[in-house]
Amino acid sequence: MIEIAAVFGSPRRKGNTSTLLNHAVTGARDAGASVTEIVLRDLKMSPCLEIYGCKKAGQCVIKDDYGEIEQMLQRIDGLMLASPIFFYTVSAHTKILMDRCNSLWVKKYWIEKHPFGQKTYPRKGLFISVGSTKGKRLFDGALLSVKYFMDALDMELWKSLLFRGIETEGQIKETPASLKAAYDAGKDLVQALSDGDRLDDDQGFPDDP
Ligand SMILES: Cc1cc2nc3c(=O)[nH]c(=O)nc-3n(C[C@H](O)[C@H](O)[C@H](O)COP(=O)(O)O)c2cc1C
C-alpha cells in the first residue's frame, strides 16, 4: 500500500491550507493510500541548533517530537505539505521542520555521499500554499525552499497547488474549484506513485494555477 504523510504547516487548524490539505488527504485515501496526518502546531519541535550531531549517524540528536517524524519521512512513498505564505516563504512551523530535516540532507550528501544534481527521485511530494496578495513572485521563495527540502528527502516536487488572494480563515471554501483541485491532486499523487511516473527535472517548477 502507498504510504503518504500529510503535513499541516499552518498555525490555523481550520485555515485555508488545512482545508485544502484535508481535501487532498481524502483524495489520497479514496485512491487507496494510507495517510498519516502531522499537525505541526501540536508538536514540540525545537528549531535546528546547528550542532551537527547528525554527522555521526544521519540522525538528529535533539530529543523531541522530530525523532518520530524523521523515521516516518524516511519510510513514506509520498508527502503532501501545506503551508501558508508568511513573508514570502513558508510558515515558521514548516520552516522548523525543514531545518530539522537537515539531518537527512547530511545523511544523504555527507554520509552516503550521493552526488549533487539528482534528476530522478524514488518519491514524490505535493506542495499546497495560499497567500493573501496577488504578486507574480508570491510563491517563489517557498517553492525554492520546498524543492530543496524535498530533495533532502529524496523526493521530487511533483506538483504544487498555489492560490493567491486568499486571506481570512476558511475563505478558500468560497472557491470550490480549488477544493476539487486539492482532492484531485491527492488522488493523482497516489496514482503517480503507483505508476512510478515522474516529471522531467528540466521542466523546472510546476506552473502556478
Ligand atoms: C505572519 C504572517 C505573514 C504573512 N505574510 C504574507 C505574505 O508575505 N504574503 C501574502 O500574500 N500573505 C501573507 N500572509 C497572509 C496569509 O498567507 C493568508 O492569510 C493565508 O490565507 C493564510 O493561510 P492559512 O489560513 O492556511 O493559515 C501572512 C500572514 C501572517 C499571519
Side-chain angles (χ1 to χ4, degrees):
M1 185 187 275
I2 299 288
E3 272 193 59
I4 291 177
V7 175
F8 291 76
S10 172
R12 282 176 175 162
R13 288 186 194 285
K14 294 184 178 171
N16 299 306
T17 50
S18 301
T19 302
L20 289 163
L21 185 54
N22 278 324
H23 281 75
V25 167
T26 304
R29 286 187 177 140
D30 285 354
S34 158
V35 183
T36 304
E37 297 179 32
I38 301 166
V39 181
L40 294 179
R41 65 159 286 160
D42 291 341
L43 303 182
K44 293 256 177 300
M45 219 190 280
S46 158
C48 173
L49 299 177
E50 216 180 352
I51 49 178
Y52 283 102
C54 54
K55 268 164 68 174
K56 273 194 194 132
Q59 230 177 322
C60 185
V61 295
I62 304 170
K63 299 292 170 222
D64 62 12
D65 289 343
Y66 174 66
E68 208 178 308
I69 309 283
E70 187 184 47
Q71 295 304 312
M72 181 189 301
L73 291 177
Q74 294 175 84
R75 260 198 333 261
I76 51 169
D77 303 294
L79 175 70
M80 303 195 291
L81 171 67
S83 170
I85 295 298
F86 283 1
F87 289 102
Y88 286 89
T89 187
V90 293
S91 68
H93 291 83
T94 307
K95 188 61 165 54
I96 284 175
L97 173 68
M98 287 179 166
D99 289 355
R100 292 293 295 280
C101 285
N102 197 48
S103 63
L104 300 177
W105 188 97
V106 164
K107 181 168 189 250
K108 178 174 176 179
Y109 289 112
W110 285 359
I111 298 176
E112 294 174 357
K113 301 193 187 312
H114 287 253
F116 291 114
Q118 186 170 350
K119 295 272 184 210
T120 62
Y121 293 87
R123 312 186 313 150
K124 296 177 198 303
L126 165 67
F127 177 54
I128 296 175
S129 191
V130 165
S132 60
T133 57
K134 297 194 172 166
K136 190 167 178 285
R137 305 190 62 191
L138 176 58
F139 298 103
D140 286 8
L143 282 171
L144 258 186
S145 296
V146 170
K147 180 180 161 86
Y148 288 100
F149 162 64
M150 289 190 179
D151 175 86
L153 303 182
D154 228 7
M155 189 177 277
E156 73 173 340
L157 174 53
W158 164 79
K159 192 185 189 96
S160 53
L161 286 182
L162 311 170
F163 300 98
R164 294 176 167 81
I166 305 288
E167 183 155 40
T168 54
E169 190 165 12
Q171 191 184 340
I172 197 74
K173 290 184 193 149
E174 294 164 16
T175 53
S178 61
L179 305 181
K180 182 174 183 312
Y183 175 85
D184 289 346
K187 222 170 179 177
D188 292 349
L189 174 62
V190 178
Q191 191 60 54
L193 288 167
S194 310
D195 294 349
D197 71 351
R198 63 174 189 85
L199 277 178
D200 187 330
D201 202 47
D202 293 339
Q203 288 179 17
F205 295 141
D207 290 332
D208 290 0

